[in-house]
Amino acid sequence: MSDSDFLPEGTLRGMPGPLPEGERILWRGAPTRAGALRHIFHARLVTLWFVATAGLLAALAASGGPARAAAVAGPTLLVGLGALGLLTVFAWLVHRTTVYTITDRRVVMHVGIALPITLNLPLTRIESADLRLFPDGSGDIPLRLPPGERIAYLHLWPHARPWRVSRPEPMLRSVPEARSVAALLAPALAARTTGQSRVAAPVAAVQPAQAMPGRLAASGAR
């Protein structure tokens, strides 16, 4: 029996089950590979550190001539290239294994490389959503939950707002066209939280039966 046998027929990739009657998908997507590399794994800072270290070692060994300086700095640069290669693989895996889904009722985050989980966040249990834009148009969208709702920071990482450890905030990381995604989320969030009880379905973390491999692509409302 395969893992897919545990999911009802018609379940979309990254969802814990089929959409209920009347629920509409507003957007689906994932972190961009470049954004994950730059903003999650801080590739530019890693590159700067290795280049600066290699330059310092070369300067200290300059008295022995150019060949000596290159021999001293070379291994550091090689290690740096290996580290960047590894970070690139991790960024690709984050992009490949993540599915963010926004509907008119909830935000669903299917995250995790080795141990994937699916977070079901009803809009009625989201206090607010923020937006941090990057120059390329991508951005982060952190979701603030009520004080009583807690999800372990380590379960969320890297899909968590940095440094919010005591009260972790799930975050859609480096999503493409983030301003448009936020523009879809804002009215849906307002509609679900206006005139409705805040005591609704609890935030749930579901261990999916299938890692659901495949390439991600944003899709429009349906």
Side-chain angles (χ1 to χ4, degrees), residues 5-217:
D5 293 331
F6 291 95
L7 292 173
E9 185 177 353
T11 300
L12 294 174
R13 177 172 176 260
M15 298 293 285
L19 285 179
E21 182 83 19
E23 185 173 6
R24 295 185 304 111
I25 290 179
L26 304 178
W27 179 86
R28 279 166 61 81
T32 64
R33 282 170 288 188
L37 182 62
R38 185 179 303 117
H39 303 297
I40 296 177
F41 297 108
H42 304 289
R44 288 184 294 188
L45 289 178
V46 173
T47 300
L48 180 62
W49 188 89
F50 277 104
V51 170
T53 301
L56 178 61
L57 292 175
L60 293 175
S63 59
R68 174 61 179 170
V72 170
T76 299
L77 292 176
L78 289 177
V79 172
L81 286 175
L84 286 176
L86 189 60
L87 293 180
T88 300
V89 172
F90 283 142
W92 178 81
L93 288 173
V94 168
H95 164 81
R96 179 85 171 180
T97 59
T98 300
V99 185
Y100 300 140
T101 304
I102 298 176
T103 79
D104 56 354
R105 299 180 184 177
R106 55 183 165 159
V107 175
V108 181
M109 301 172 63
H110 180 81
V111 300
I113 297 174
L115 297 173
I117 63 171
T118 300
L119 300 172
N120 192 60
L121 309 172
L123 297 183
T124 52
R125 302 300 294 167
I126 298 176
E127 284 191 343
S128 63
D130 297 324
L131 172 63
R132 179 190 179 192
L133 283 174
F134 301 123
D136 63 355
S138 65
D140 294 337
I141 303 178
L143 307 173
R144 186 174 181 84
L145 304 179
E149 302 284 2
R150 293 201 59 183
I151 305 173
Y153 188 88
L154 291 179
H155 288 171
L156 286 172
W157 192 90
H159 311 273
R161 190 169 187 172
W163 312 114
R164 302 297 176 95
V165 178
S166 60
R167 187 179 173 184
E169 297 182 17
M171 187 161 72
L172 311 186
R173 299 297 303 260
S174 296
V175 297
E177 300 180 1
R179 189 185 297 276
S180 298
V181 177
L184 288 172
L185 176 60
L189 187 60
R192 298 299 294 182
T193 56
T194 300
Q196 295 192 22
S197 172
R198 303 294 296 187
V199 183
V203 173
V206 182
Q207 183 71 32
Q210 185 182 20
M212 303 178 182
R215 188 176 183 276
L216 290 180

